[in-house]
Amino acid sequence: MFRPLHICFLISFAFFIDPSSQHDKKIQMREKVREMFYHAYDNYMTYAFPHDELKPLSKSFTDSLSELGNLKLEHLPTDYNGSAVTLVESLSSLAILGNKTEFEKGVLWLSENLTFDVDVRVNLFECNIRVLGGLISAHLLAIDPTNRLIQGSYNNQLLRLAEDLGKRFLPAFETPTALPYAWINLKNGVMVNETTETSTSGCGSLILEMGALSRLTGDPRFESVALRALRQLWRMRSSLDLLGTTLDVVTGEWLEYSSGIGAGVDSFYEYLMKAYILFGKEDYWRMFSSAYLASQKHFRYGPWYHEANMWSGKPTYWQLTSLQAFWPGLQVLVGDVAAANSSHREFFHAWEKFGVLPERYLLDHQMIHPTERYYPLRPELAESTFYLYQATKDPWYLDVGEAMVKSLNRYTKVAGGFASVRDVTTMQLEDHQHSFFLAETCKYLYLLFDDSFVAKRNYIFTTEGHPIQVTSSWHEKLPESYFSGNWTFSKSGAWESGASALSMKVCPSIAPNSRLPEQHRESVCHVPDQKIDHRCWSNRECGVDATTCRQRSCSEVGYCGLWNPL
């Protein structure tokens, strides 16, 4: 068996069965999502391939790798035709949809035509999650005998491409701090006078793809540099276990102290948890559990998450951002389903209010951010909806998915594909269909209505939605089997009263009750007070609050509560 926290998600497959009344609806919605995917994919192949991404309004293309480097198309090498990013990103979705023919055609084309020996400056993080992750995932799917996606011969061509790209990443890590530059020239390495600024996500969210590449090739360098950067980043945390948003890779100094769970930091949390699941290294778990508790203590306000100063923990910005919508999905993996549901409903209420999810909404002013009013077809809400449905089988999440499908078709579908929304208040469109619409948005919506691809299989999805199968051979040591005999009990035979589900690495829903059967754990950090009536003589009789994850204390009149301010 694998780590029990992952079973918080896996357990849903074993114990919940869809009612027959939902079956027809799910088939109908699955086919609508299939139509969406092929409308986007076919238009890309018609008007943009082999360039990177589609411009659906003008039915033309954009080379996103070069634009990420702020280069004009006329400044690109004359023989540069793009890196077919959308095709790379679409392979795992084609596999999930069961299109073996198109998957094999894509693999063969990339094998014969894709090259990274081009004089182009790219964003390390984006190229890692989109291209490297897409190649690795497609390679694993191609060699999986249960899928039989390729009828002809496959000789690890995608893995060789991934290895070539990974080697071109390595110069980015040659810094005094071991933290990688945010930008790299695929042909010439780090450019002269390259910016030294990067984000926490940018240097802390490389371990899944780079680690998988090392396991597949036997070359330890990829995992080594990514892990070294991650550990260095963690050493730079504050005493509150919080990290900032941007930093300097040469000096190791923080540039932006405000932090949260959204842009610039989001996938750092995600990759700690998923790296623990994929590789079984205890370092990842220790970092994640500390970081997760800190986020609950300092960012959470009811169902919302604001930003806070990494040094003081004081709130800085009260805002909802669309990238935060991934958080409920991560909480499902942890086992915090109640907290995930609470936040997810607020994100969906915002979707219902505006028709789609605005990029940034100011909670303290109850208004959309004046300059970030767009919706670029982001997948995070669909992702969390998929995870929550798997964890609960509550048909309400199917209704959420249906509403999202209707909105996307109503507001963003055009003749040439699906267009981003420039302004959610007017639904004015922008001429861009991001590759992640095919890699993630359509994929998670499809899996919501048809989970046959993941049923009875153990996958993690990268932050770009690329599936990587979890296998015990990638774990440094085989995890123990988890059953009641492995839980920590006190001498009296009861589970330790001061232990949380998080500290014991079990799901709150399956955690053993403490001394009193009426008590239960409401979240992974929750530790019930020793007495049901919350009476106490000392702080040792008080637990940990389920919502804020703060230690409760005993008042002068003998009741446990959150009496001490932060």
Side-chain angles (χ1 to χ4, degrees):
M1 292 177 67
F2 295 102
R3 296 303 193 193
L5 283 170
H6 194 30
I7 294 174
C8 294
F9 175 53
L10 294 181
I11 200 170
S12 62
F13 295 118
F15 293 102
F16 293 97
I17 301 175
D18 286 328
S20 57
S21 60
Q22 298 295 329
H23 181 70
D24 293 343
K25 177 180 179 180
K26 290 174 69 175
I27 292 178
Q28 180 185 17
M29 293 308 303
R30 178 194 68 189
E31 294 308 305
K32 286 186 177 181
V33 177
R34 188 192 300 272
E35 291 175 7
M36 290 171 58
F37 175 85
Y38 284 116
H39 182 69
Y41 178 79
D42 291 344
N43 274 287
Y44 163 74
M45 296 301 292
T46 300
Y47 300 111
F49 176 77
H51 293 272
D52 291 346
E53 292 182 323
L54 171 68
K55 300 177 75 172
L57 298 179
S58 58
K59 296 182 178 179
S60 58
F61 64 85
T62 173
D63 282 311
S64 57
L65 282 181
S66 61
E67 289 182 348
L68 288 170
N70 298 318
L71 293 178
K72 302 292 186 181
L73 290 178
E74 59 266 25
H75 295 162
L76 291 172
T78 55
D79 59 346
Y80 182 67
N81 291 316
S83 299
V85 172
T86 296
L87 176 60
V88 175
E89 292 250 73
S90 297
L91 288 179
S92 60
S93 296
L94 288 167
I96 289 173
L97 268 64
N99 193 331
K100 298 180 181 181
T101 301
E102 199 66 24
F103 179 89
E104 184 171 14
K105 284 172 56 180
V107 169
L108 293 177
W109 187 93
L110 293 171
S111 303
E112 297 171 358
N113 296 279
L114 184 59
T115 178
F116 299 116
D117 190 28
V118 288
D119 184 12
V120 173
R121 176 176 176 263
V122 300
N123 182 277
L124 177 67
F125 170 74
E126 293 291 347
C127 198
N128 174 72
I129 64 173
R130 297 190 190 204
V131 184
L132 183 61
L135 291 172
I136 289 172
S137 177
H139 164 72
L140 290 170
L141 291 168
I143 64 175
D144 186 348
T146 62
N147 293 320
R148 297 180 181 177
L149 291 168
I150 294 183
Q151 303 303 313
S153 62
Y154 175 72
N155 298 311
N156 299 328
Q157 301 99 307
L158 298 185
L159 180 59
R160 288 197 292 272
L161 283 169
E163 184 176 17
D164 176 43
L165 181 59
K167 289 178 179 178
R168 296 174 188 275
F169 286 172
L170 293 178
F173 294 86
E174 297 173 3
T175 66
T177 61
L179 298 168
Y181 284 96
W183 303 91
I184 186 78
N185 184 289
L186 291 180
K187 191 179 186 71
N188 301 313
V190 178
M191 300 175 68
V192 177
N193 298 321
E194 182 60 82
T195 178
T196 58
E197 180 177 345
T198 190
S199 67
T200 297
S201 291
C203 58
S205 307
L206 306 169
I207 191 61
L208 290 185
E209 295 83 0
M210 297 287 273
L213 185 59
S214 281
R215 305 302 171 102
L216 291 168
T217 62
D219 187 338
R221 290 179 297 170
F222 310 115
E223 184 173 8
S224 176
V225 294
L227 179 55
R228 186 172 59 175
L230 185 57
R231 284 173 170 163
Q232 173 60 24
L233 188 65
W234 183 243
R235 282 193 288 268
M236 292 168 58
R237 71 191 186 281
S238 72
S239 60
L240 303 177
D241 286 335
L242 298 177
L243 293 87
T245 304
T246 59
L247 59 141
D248 189 296
V249 301
V250 172
T251 66
E253 296 178 351
W254 288 106
L255 303 177
E256 174 56 64
Y257 301 151
S258 182
S259 186
I261 60 169
V265 189
D266 47 1
S267 54
F268 166 76
Y269 294 99
E270 178 185 3
Y271 271 35
L272 287 178
M273 180 64 187
K274 291 182 177 179
Y276 175 65
I277 294 169
L278 188 60
F279 303 122
K281 185 186 287 289
E282 290 296 326
D283 282 5
Y284 299 129
W285 171 253
R286 285 192 289 267
M287 287 186 280
F288 174 78
S289 58
S290 297
Y292 182 75
L293 285 177
S295 70
Q296 296 299 100
K297 289 179 181 178
H298 301 291
F299 300 151
R300 186 175 178 183
Y301 186 81
W304 301 108
Y305 288 82
H306 58 73
E307 295 183 22
N309 183 286
M310 64 176 289
W311 304 111
S312 66
K314 294 182 178 179
T316 52
Y317 302 107
W318 294 81
Q319 56 190 4
L320 171 153
T321 65
S322 60
L323 288 172
Q324 293 175 345
F326 90 99
W327 190 256
L330 178 62
Q331 289 185 303
V332 169
L333 288 181
V334 182
D336 256 346
V337 176
N341 173 67
S342 176
S343 296
H344 175 273
R345 288 178 181 268
E346 296 300 327
F347 283 111
F348 181 58
H349 289 159
W351 179 287
E352 286 185 307
K353 180 177 181 179
F354 298 105
V356 291
L357 195 61
E359 185 71 3
R360 195 176 300 270
Y361 183 82
L362 305 179
L363 295 171
D364 47 353
H365 298 290
Q366 293 292 296
M367 60 176 286
I368 298 178
H369 190 281
T371 61
E372 297 185 47
R373 312 167 72 90
Y374 51 88
Y375 169 67
L377 306 175
R378 290 205 187 277
E380 285 76 15
L381 184 58
E383 175 186 2
S384 288
T385 304
F386 160 67
Y387 277 105
L388 275 162
Y389 179 68
Q390 288 298 330
T392 66
K393 286 298 186 284
D394 184 341
W396 181 79
Y397 294 108
L398 298 178
D399 296 337
V400 171
E402 182 178 10
M404 295 181 68
V405 168
K406 288 181 178 179
S407 290
L408 289 168
N409 279 295
R410 177 180 180 183
Y411 297 118
T412 71
K413 185 178 181 180
V414 296
F418 284 84
S420 301
V421 177
R422 184 186 300 273
D423 187 334
V424 301
T425 63
T426 63
M427 289 301 173
Q428 177 188 3
L429 297 179
E430 183 176 358
D431 197 11
H432 198 168
Q433 178 183 284
H434 290 272
S435 61
F436 54 69
F437 179 72
L438 289 153
E440 300 181 82
T441 308
C442 289
K443 178 181 292 161
Y444 285 122
L445 287 171
Y446 185 89
L447 288 171
L448 173 64
F449 300 112
D450 184 348
D451 62 10
S452 56
F453 176 80
V454 294
K456 300 180 181 179
R457 304 294 295 275
N458 196 354
Y459 289 101
I460 58 101
F461 289 87
T462 70
T463 196
E464 195 70 7
H466 297 304
I468 300 178
Q469 189 169 0
V470 180
T471 171
S472 60
S473 63
W474 283 15
H475 281 233
E476 292 188 347
K477 62 178 182 179
L478 290 177
E480 299 174 358
S481 296
Y482 286 87
F483 47 86
S484 59
N486 285 327
W487 288 323
T488 300
F489 287 82
S490 67
K491 293 180 180 179
S492 65
W495 200 38
E496 289 287 357
S497 59
S500 66
L502 192 67
S503 66
M504 299 308 300
K505 302 180 187 175
V506 295
C507 303
S509 60
I510 64 173
N513 292 331
S514 53
R515 291 183 178 89
L516 299 174
E518 294 87 350
Q519 294 178 328
H520 64 281
R521 283 165 175 77
E522 300 170 8
S523 71
V524 291
C525 66
H526 181 212
V527 177
D529 299 331
Q530 289 193 8
K531 297 181 179 179
I532 296 176
D533 60 4
H534 310 292
R535 295 297 299 267
C536 57
W537 290 99
S538 68
N539 290 342
R540 287 182 297 180
E541 298 173 88
C542 300
V544 176
D545 183 68
T547 301
T548 65
C549 297
R550 289 168 50 196
Q551 182 68 48
R552 291 158 64 84
S553 59
C554 191
S555 69
E556 293 181 355
V557 295
Y559 282 94
C560 292
L562 293 175
W563 312 119
N564 298 324
L566 285 174

